[in-house]
Amino acid sequence: MTVKIHYRLFLILPLLFVLTGCGYTLKGSASQRLDAGQQLWVPFIGNESISPTAQTVLRRALYDECHALRGMVPSTSENSAGLIIKGRLVSYSTSSVSFSAADRARSFRLVISAELELFRKGETTPVWKGVLNAAKEFPASADLALQRNAEESALDAASRIMAQKFIYAVEQDY
């Protein structure tokens, strides 16, 4: 009889440990989940960088990634939006990362940094606020037009990376 009790106790204890888990929980709450169908507004993003177009590319990337990853839709105005993303592009830089044997740049790295905030409609304190960075490498070219196209493509890719980081940071409350 005592063997059966010990045997059952031996089986129940590991089961209890498994059911209680390891203690890790998701930090983000359901209220911070970005749900499909929510209307989003991204007003003009301030630009403190040297790029005249980077804030426009970042704004478009925020709309595109929020729609692609979470099914959110752009609002027609700030008044009808449920969520508002405000921000400013703090820096934009390019630097050489690899060189040829002739000591010419073979590739560059574009790095952008932005301060972003997410607000719910009618609230004055942000749901999330932080600084995000993103980078993308692009090839060098002797042709100036090709070089500029590669840099613009890298800016688009880095902006999309930043928008994805924004979504994950909001939902995980980092």
Side-chain angles (χ1 to χ4, degrees), residues 120-164:
R120 293 208 185 277
K121 183 177 184 173
E123 294 183 6
T124 57
T125 57
V127 173
W128 184 88
K129 180 179 182 176
V131 177
L132 297 172
N133 301 304
K136 185 68 179 172
E137 290 186 16
F138 61 97
S141 176
D143 185 337
L144 190 56
L146 292 176
Q147 177 75 31
R148 184 69 188 141
N149 285 344
E151 185 175 344
E152 287 175 1
S153 293
L155 173 59
D156 184 55
S159 295
R160 289 181 182 280
I161 291 167
M162 183 176 287
Q164 292 168 4

Side-chain angles (χ1 to χ4, degrees), residues 45-71:
I45 293 177
N47 189 357
E48 297 176 5
S49 75
I50 60 169
S51 172
T53 59
Q55 80 278 4
T56 305
V57 174
L58 177 58
R59 182 176 185 240
R60 185 180 65 236
L62 285 165
Y63 276 127
D64 290 347
E65 293 302 310
C66 285
H67 178 71
L69 296 175
R70 296 297 180 263

Side-chain angles (χ1 to χ4, degrees), residues 2-171:
T2 60
V3 174
K4 283 187 179 182
I5 293 173
H6 289 288
Y7 180 71
R8 287 182 184 163
L9 185 61
F10 180 72
L11 289 177
I12 291 174
L13 282 176
L15 183 61
L16 287 174
F17 286 124
V18 170
L19 290 177
T20 59
C22 56
Y24 288 105
T25 59
L26 292 175
K27 187 162 175 28
S29 65
S31 66
Q32 290 185 214
R33 176 84 177 138
L34 301 175
D35 294 323
Q38 287 181 309
Q39 289 195 350
L40 176 69
W41 179 254
V42 183
F44 179 79
I45 293 177
N47 189 357
E48 297 176 5
S49 75
I50 60 169
S51 172
T53 59
Q55 80 278 4
T56 305
V57 174
L58 177 58
R59 182 176 185 240
R60 185 180 65 236
L62 285 165
Y63 276 127
D64 290 347
E65 293 302 310
C66 285
H67 178 71
L69 296 175
R70 296 297 180 263
M72 300 172 73
V73 294
S75 178
T76 56
S77 69
E78 187 171 344
N79 294 335
S80 62
L83 296 171
I84 300 151
I85 299 173
K86 295 181 180 179
R88 64 188 178 102
L89 188 64
V90 178
S91 68
Y92 174 105
S93 64
T94 57
S95 58
S96 304
V97 291
S98 69
F99 296 89
S100 68
D103 202 27
R104 294 198 177 173
R106 274 199 284 181
S107 64
F108 294 94
R109 177 178 292 128
L110 179 139
V111 179
I112 57 174
S113 179
E115 291 179 356
L116 298 172
E117 299 175 315
L118 177 68
F119 292 88
R120 293 208 185 277
K121 183 177 184 173
E123 294 183 6
T124 57
T125 57
V127 173
W128 184 88
K129 180 179 182 176
V131 177
L132 297 172
N133 301 304
K136 185 68 179 172
E137 290 186 16
F138 61 97
S141 176
D143 185 337
L144 190 56
L146 292 176
Q147 177 75 31
R148 184 69 188 141
N149 285 344
E151 185 175 344
E152 287 175 1
S153 293
L155 173 59
D156 184 55
S159 295
R160 289 181 182 280
I161 291 167
M162 183 176 287
Q164 292 168 4
K165 286 182 176 182
F166 172 77
I167 292 167
Y168 300 139
V170 167
E171 292 185 339

